[in-house]
């Protein structure tokens, strides 16, 4: 059960398996591209590599998204899984296996794991009543109404019979394991966070659900389905063949497990660094050697995510600048482990600066000159001068610096060091100007200089290209061919990076004709990408209901504490609730009990009824409703009106009074200072002799309880919602 030393012979790495509730975006592509670059480098180092990716298809969230789209969960999951896989293929990502959690091989493995945990005494039956975040498929500690600490959405109350996993038994063992394996988790911020979470105490974890059926049945008790995170995490072993009787599967599992690295996004580190190792310890299965978290790709100031509606698709960049441009940008621009901004401007700037004007231009100059002055045949270098010795030394330094940084996942620094070799080679060419023959230099001397300089520069390019291959596979393949080296993919299969050293370009090698690598991106490149994204978001809106449930913003990083059995905790009962705030409609007439916050019957459904035909309004209709951000300045009860609160709110440009029927649900003191959303242009109404100038927006839960709409980011008072 120890974290054994890294084996040089084989390497197993995985991406998270992505939820199929939404189409892939650049955030998903980022993690998968990082893995692809690592996998390519490992293979090119002669290491037998297995790169796994896939899709996470079970659970309540997917079941609901499918329902919203009017499809069966399986049909729905199949369509989105195909989108993920299709995109990875278009981007030429070299995964060895793509697992879908709805496949039989996975179900069998999960059931085997569940049975093993139970047989070893780590699973017991209990009942759970508490909060659950469907978006994050996460149990949340706290009373009803507790928001999910990960995404901020309102949690649902679940009350059901569950199987529990004895997570509490692993607190000490996990801490000892982290201590003994300091490189297990990274970056440091993740490590600290996970350790402090475990030190805070672990409670037993519910690992089955009974209130819905879209999951893997618990063996022997089929009214339960396995908790979606236990199901999902197991993909890393089931894909290799865990739980199979087939000798080929068993051999693959024996060969590749434990994984060398699970690459994940930082928000799911607790699942991977606490729950997963605990499950494995309990099952007697060795632990993965490392879990490394990438930071978040931000766009327009926020985490890129479907729920924020601030996504960019990898396809767009691929279409305009090519996959290599995207790979280079992501790995060069964002120090791995940190959050990083994506912008089209920054992308085009890097592309033009580093690829078109930098590497691409260098290759084109040298290949062209070898054709022009030597008929495309690499000349003998002749006697070296100190300038060649310097470039040679720099190239050797770049090989070791790049390798050290890349293997430590410091891709940005690795590329920085490699691109300083690009710049140095460029400077070397310019300083020696093989295209310019001074009047006092003989023809023979000039030809000797040209030969020396071009052979040396071409060799530097060969080194740069070999090292850059895992990050720029398509362009490196073109350059490799131009340099007369054949197919780089074949060289990679033979582990060409293990013996990469200066001097590999032999005189007499025939270059191919130069071909463009990175055509300069003109000004309109940004506009084109923006336009493609706009067109896409329009078509997604037009096809609304076709793919995914709308989601709420998610600004926070870490999931919550696990839940505890009913016996250990008190919890008020409340029915399931939907997290999407629904604007409360204006009452047709002044309500008898004067409750401005109320919902139409349809809004009480957690999911719109299938086949219901919505009453469409035009955008102009919607524009008539003036929704604005306001802050509560005063909140107080109204004598003899037990449902009403009197609020004074500040809109920035004016203050006004609003009466709201939320007195049974919100303590007035707790509302003061809170930013809310109001309908600002509602005709004034009188209730209990007081004038109400507007209406609050709140989600209405099935039991009628309102949940006020609000914001997770800072918003100025008076800002309009549109
Ligand atoms: O969490 N920046 O699936 P998911 C960087 N099914 N990476 C991002 C990102 C962003 N803005 N957005 C997404 C799940 N990612 C579970 C995983 S694994 C056993 C189960 C990447 O579809 C990042 O790797 O929400 C993140 O962890 C993953 O996509 C989340 O994908």
């Amino acid at each position: 059960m120890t974290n054994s030393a890294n084996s040089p012979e084989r390497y197993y790495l995985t991406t998270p398996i992505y939820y199929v509730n939404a189409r892939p975006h650049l955030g998903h592509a980022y993690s998968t591209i990082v893995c692809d670059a690592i996998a390519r480098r490992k293979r090119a180092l002669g290491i037998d590599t297995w790169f796994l990716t896939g899709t996470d298809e079970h659970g309540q969230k997917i079941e609901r998204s499918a329902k919203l789209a009017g499809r069966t969960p399986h049909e729905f999951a199949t369509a989105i899984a195909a989108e993920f896989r299709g995109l990875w293929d278009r981007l030429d990502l070299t995964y060895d296996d793509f697992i879908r959690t709805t496949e039989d091989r996975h179900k069998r493995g999960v059931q085997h794991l569940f049975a093993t945990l139970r047989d070893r005494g780590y699973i017991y039956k209990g009942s759970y009543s508490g909060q659950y975040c469907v978006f994050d498929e996460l149990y949340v500690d706290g009373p009803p109404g507790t928001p999910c600490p990960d995404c901020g959405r309102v949690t649902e109350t679940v009350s059901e019979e569950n199987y529990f996993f004895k997570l509490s038994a692993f607190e000490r063992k996990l801490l000892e394991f982290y201590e003994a394996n300091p490189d297990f988790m990274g970056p440091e911020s993740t490590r600290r966070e996970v350790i402090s979470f475990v030190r805070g105490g672990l409670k037993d974890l519910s690992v089955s659900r009974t209130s819905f059926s879209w999951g893997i049945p618990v063996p022997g008790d089929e009214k339960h389905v396995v908790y979606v995170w236990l199901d999902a995490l197991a993909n890393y072993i089931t894909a290799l063949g865990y739980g199979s009787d087939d000798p080929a599967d068993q051999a693959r599992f024996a060969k590749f497990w434990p994984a060398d690295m699970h690459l994940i996004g930082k928000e799911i580190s607790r699942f991977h660094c606490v729950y997963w190792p605990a499950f494995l310890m309990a099952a007697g299965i060795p632990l993965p050697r490392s879990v490394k978290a990438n930071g978040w790709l931000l766009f327009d100031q926020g985490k890129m995510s479907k729920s924020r509606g601030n996504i960019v698709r990898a396809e767009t960049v691929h279409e305009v600048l090519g996959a290599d441009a995207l790979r280079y940008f992501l790995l060069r621009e964002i120090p791995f482990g940190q959050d990083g901004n994506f912008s089209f401007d920054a992308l085009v700037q890097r592309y033009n600066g580093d690829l078109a004007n930098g590497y691409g231009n260098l290759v084109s100059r040298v290949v062209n000159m070898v054709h022009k002055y030597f008929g495309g045949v690499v000349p003998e270098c002749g006697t070296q001068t100190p300038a060649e010795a310097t470039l040679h030394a720099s190239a050797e330094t770049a090989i070791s610096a790049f390798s050290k940084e890349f293997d430590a996942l410091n891709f940005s620094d690795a590329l920085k060091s490699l691109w300083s070799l690009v710049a140095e080679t460029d400077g070397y060419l310019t300083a020696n100007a093989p295209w310019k023959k001074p009047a006092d230099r003989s023809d023979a001397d000039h030809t000797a200089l040209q030969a020396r300089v071009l052979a040396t520069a071409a060799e530097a390019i060969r080194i740069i290209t070999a090292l850059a291959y895992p990050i720029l596979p398509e362009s490196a393949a073109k350059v490799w061919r131009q340099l007369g080296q054949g197919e780089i993919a074949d060289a990679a299969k033979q582990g060409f990076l293990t013996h990469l050293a200066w001097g590999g370009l032999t005189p007499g090698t025939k270059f191919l004709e130069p071909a463009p690598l990175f055509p300069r991106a003109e000004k309109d490149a940004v506009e084109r990408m923006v336009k493609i994204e706009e067109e896409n978001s329009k078509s997604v809106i037009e096809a609304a209901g076709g793919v995914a449930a709308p989601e709420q913003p998610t600004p926070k990083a870490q999931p919550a504490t696990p839940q505890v059995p009913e016996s250990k905790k008190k919890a008020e009962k409340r029915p399931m609730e939907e997290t999407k705030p629904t604007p409360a409609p204006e009452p047709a007439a002044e309500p008898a009990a004067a409750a401005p916050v109320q919902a139409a019957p349809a809004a009480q459904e957690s999911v719109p009824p299938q086949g219901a035909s919505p009453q469409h309004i035009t955008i102009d209709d919607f524009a008539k409703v003036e929704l604005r951000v306001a802050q509560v300045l005063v909140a107080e009860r109204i004598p003899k009106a037990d449902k009403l609160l009197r609020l004074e709110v500040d809109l920035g440009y004016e203050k006004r009074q609003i009466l709201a029927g939320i007195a049974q649900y919100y303590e007035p003191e707790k509302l003061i200072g809170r930013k809310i959303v109001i309908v600002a242009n509602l005709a004034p109404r009188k209730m209990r002799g007081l004038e109400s100038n507007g209406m609050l927006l709140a989600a209405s839960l099935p039991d009628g309880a309102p949940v006020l709409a609000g914001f997770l980011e800072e918003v100025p008072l008076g800002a309009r919602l549109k």
Side-chain angles (χ1 to χ4, degrees), residues 16-19 21 25 27-28 30-31 56 61 229 232-233 235-236 264-268 272 294-298 303-305:
I17 49 168
Y18 303 109
Y19 283 130
N21 68 316
H25 60 67
H28 305 113
Y30 176 41
S31 303
D56 187 355
K61 172 157 85 169
W229 270 101
L233 288 161
N235 91 89
Y236 302 131
I264 58 166
K266 65 179 183 182
E267 77 290 351
I268 53 175
H272 284 79
N294 61 242
W296 283 344
L297 207 54
L298 311 174
K303 182 192 176 198
M304 188 180 290
S305 66

Side-chain angles (χ1 to χ4, degrees), residues 152-216:
R153 292 173 175 80
V154 177
T155 51
E156 301 187 0
T157 304
V158 292
S159 216
E160 51 188 51
E161 180 190 87
N162 284 161
Y163 283 100
F164 281 83
F165 171 72
K166 286 188 186 165
L167 185 63
S168 54
F170 292 91
E171 209 173 292
R172 232 201 42 241
K173 286 183 193 142
L174 283 168
L175 290 170
E176 284 166 5
F177 173 75
Y178 303 147
E179 177 89 30
N181 297 278
D183 293 331
F184 173 66
M185 309 177 267
E188 190 49 31
S189 49
T190 295
R191 184 178 149 76
R192 274 200 305 268
E193 222 171 279
V194 168
I195 290 177
S196 92
F197 173 72
V198 177
R199 282 201 183 126
L202 295 178
K203 295 165 184 165
D204 292 350
L205 177 74
S206 161
V207 286
S208 76
R209 301 286 311 268
T210 44
S211 57
F212 66 95
S213 59
W214 181 236
I216 298 176

Side-chain angles (χ1 to χ4, degrees), residues 59-70 73 76 134 156 214 549 576-579 606-607:
Q60 208 165 1
K61 172 157 85 169
I62 309 298
E63 191 178 72
R64 287 188 183 177
S65 295
K67 196 170 175 196
L68 263 179
F76 182 79
V134 176
E156 301 187 0
W214 181 236
M576 291 282 195
E577 47 203 23
E578 175 55 89
T579 58
S606 60
V607 173

Side-chain angles (χ1 to χ4, degrees), residues 553-665:
T554 63
K556 246 213 81 209
Q558 272 298 324
T561 50
Q563 80 302 6
V564 285
E566 173 82 319
S567 54
K568 298 190 190 162
K569 180 173 134 218
K570 269 202 205 139
E572 193 183 312
K573 277 200 180 163
R574 257 166 131 192
M576 291 282 195
E577 47 203 23
E578 175 55 89
T579 58
K580 181 187 163 205
T582 312
E586 184 187 348
E590 187 177 317
V597 174
Q598 55 179 228
Q604 294 189 2
E605 299 279 344
S606 60
V607 173
Q610 219 174 317
S613 69
Q615 280 274 308
H616 293 296
I617 60 165
T618 66
I619 200 85
D620 291 337
D621 289 335
F622 176 71
K624 285 183 201 151
V625 185
E626 205 185 307
L627 301 173
R628 291 194 186 272
V629 178
Q631 189 165 31
V632 180
L633 300 175
V634 175
E636 57 191 23
R637 296 188 187 278
I638 299 175
K640 295 198 193 116
D642 56 2
K643 292 189 178 155
L644 273 186
L645 288 185
R646 189 185 78 82
L647 307 178
E648 278 173 35
V649 302
D650 186 0
L651 278 159
Y653 54 90
E654 67 172 40
K655 299 189 173 68
R656 54 167 85 177
Q657 172 174 284
I658 290 183
L659 304 183
I662 55 174
Q664 291 167 304
Y665 303 99

